Amino acid sequence: MHRFFIAPNDLTGEEVTISGGDFKHITRVLRLGPGDRIIGVLPPGREYTVEITLVGRDRLFGRVTGQVGRLIEPPLEVTLAQALVKGDKLDYIIQKATELGVSRFVPLQTERSIVRLDEGKAEERRLRWQKIAQEAAEQSGRTAMPLVKGLSTLTDLILETGSYDLAFLLWEGENRKGIKSLLRSARNPYRVLLVVGPEGGFSPKEVAQARGGGLTPVSLGPRILRTETAGPVAAALLLYELGDLGGPENEDRS
C-alpha cells in the first residue's frame, strides 16, 4: 500500500482528511477511490491503514481501520547541516539522506558558498526541500518526516552544538581523526550533528571557528569526496555504526 503523512489537524478521532498535493496524487495518479486503502503515518509517528470513504472536489475522506506495528525510525537523531551548493545537488542530498534515516537538515550559508539566497528565495527553497524530504520519507517507509530548517550560518550552528552528543565537521584537511574510529569509541549518543561544506570546502577561518565552538573536524578517508557525496556517506557510516542501518545484528546469515 502507498504511504502518506497525515497532519495532526487532519485527524479527528478515526476520521482522516487529505487535501493538496497528496489528494491529487492519490486520486489522479494512483486513481484510488472509496473502498481502497492506504497507509497513513499519523502523529506521533505511528502507521495505520486508512480506508478511503469519500472523494470530493479538492479533498478526500478516510477512516482509520487498523494499526501497522513496525519500528522504522533509527535509535538516534541525526542532523545534517549542509552548505549551499550549485544546481539541484541539495535536492539529491536531502532525498538520499532522508532514505538513510537523517532526522533534520540545516542549509548553511558559508564563506565559499557560490549560491547566495535572500530571505524570500531561501524560504522558497526551504519549502521545496521540505517537500522532497516528505516524498523521500514516504517512499522509504519512514514514520517521521525530517524537518528542513531555515537558512543558517556556521556561527548560528555553533550556538547549538552543546545540545548534541557528537558534533562533526567533515574536512578534507583533517589527517589525524577519522570518523570511523570516533564513532566506534562513542558511548551511546542520541543526537549527532554532521556539518558539510560547499564545493570549495570550508575556509581555514571557518575550521578554526568550528573547532573552537565544539565541532570536531574529521576525515572520511584518503580520497576527497564531492560535497553531494560526503553528507550521505557520513550519514550512512553513522547510522551503520550507531543506528539500525544494515539490519538486525542477530539476523540469520545462513
Side-chain angles (χ1 to χ4, degrees):
M1 285 186 285
H2 298 275
R3 305 171 70 262
F4 298 90
F5 284 93
I6 309 298
N9 57 352
D10 289 333
L11 173 66
T12 305
E14 294 184 348
E15 301 301 316
V16 171
T17 304
I18 298 177
S19 58
D22 285 344
F23 165 76
K24 295 178 181 178
H25 186 72
I26 292 170
T27 57
R28 300 179 187 178
V29 178
L30 301 178
R31 296 188 179 279
L32 301 180
D36 290 321
R37 293 187 176 188
I38 61 173
I39 293 178
V41 183
L42 305 170
R46 295 191 178 95
E47 291 183 315
Y48 295 85
T49 53
V50 175
E51 181 180 341
I52 300 172
T53 56
L54 178 66
V55 175
R57 177 183 296 180
D58 59 357
R59 66 194 62 214
L60 64 80
F61 302 89
R63 177 174 57 88
V64 174
T65 59
Q67 182 172 351
V68 182
R70 295 190 299 166
L71 183 62
I72 301 297
E73 293 304 303
L76 72 164
E77 181 182 286
V78 180
T79 295
L80 177 58
Q82 170 68 54
L84 294 180
V85 287
K86 296 184 296 183
D88 58 359
K89 293 177 182 177
L90 198 44
D91 296 8
Y92 171 87
I93 293 167
I94 290 174
Q95 181 188 65
K96 299 309 173 188
T98 294
E99 293 174 17
L100 290 167
V102 169
S103 300
R104 190 172 73 144
F105 296 94
V106 183
L108 288 179
Q109 189 80 68
T110 62
E111 285 186 25
R112 294 177 177 173
S113 293
I114 297 173
V115 177
R116 298 286 166 177
L117 300 177
D118 59 29
E119 185 175 341
K121 194 68 174 178
E123 177 59 14
E124 181 182 315
R125 291 284 184 89
R126 188 195 70 79
L127 293 174
R128 170 185 169 82
W129 293 325
Q130 186 64 71
K131 181 63 175 175
I132 289 171
Q134 177 181 338
E135 292 173 349
E138 290 172 345
Q139 177 275 322
S140 59
R142 298 281 300 270
T143 53
M145 189 192 310
L147 174 66
V148 180
K149 301 284 285 183
L151 185 62
S152 187
T153 66
L154 187 59
T155 299
D156 295 331
L157 194 64
I158 285 173
L159 295 176
E160 301 179 8
T161 55
S163 64
Y164 292 94
D165 301 310
L166 297 172
F168 297 129
L169 181 89
L170 306 186
W171 183 44
E172 69 279 4
E174 178 58 52
N175 54 19
R176 294 175 300 171
K177 297 177 182 177
I179 193 170
K180 184 191 299 185
S181 62
L182 291 174
L183 291 178
R184 289 181 176 175
S185 63
R187 298 184 178 180
N188 300 319
Y190 173 64
R191 301 190 75 214
V192 183
L193 173 64
L194 296 171
V195 186
V196 185
E199 291 90 347
F202 289 109
S203 70
K205 177 183 175 182
E206 287 175 320
V207 174
Q209 180 188 11
R211 199 191 302 271
L215 285 160
T216 302
V218 295
S219 168
L220 290 178
R223 292 167 293 281
I224 297 177
L225 305 182
R226 290 179 179 270
T227 183
E228 65 268 29
T229 306
V233 165
L237 289 170
L238 176 62
L239 288 161
Y240 177 80
E241 289 291 343
L242 304 176
D244 56 3
L245 198 61
E249 292 184 7
N250 61 347
E251 65 182 349
D252 184 4
R253 297 182 183 276
S254 60

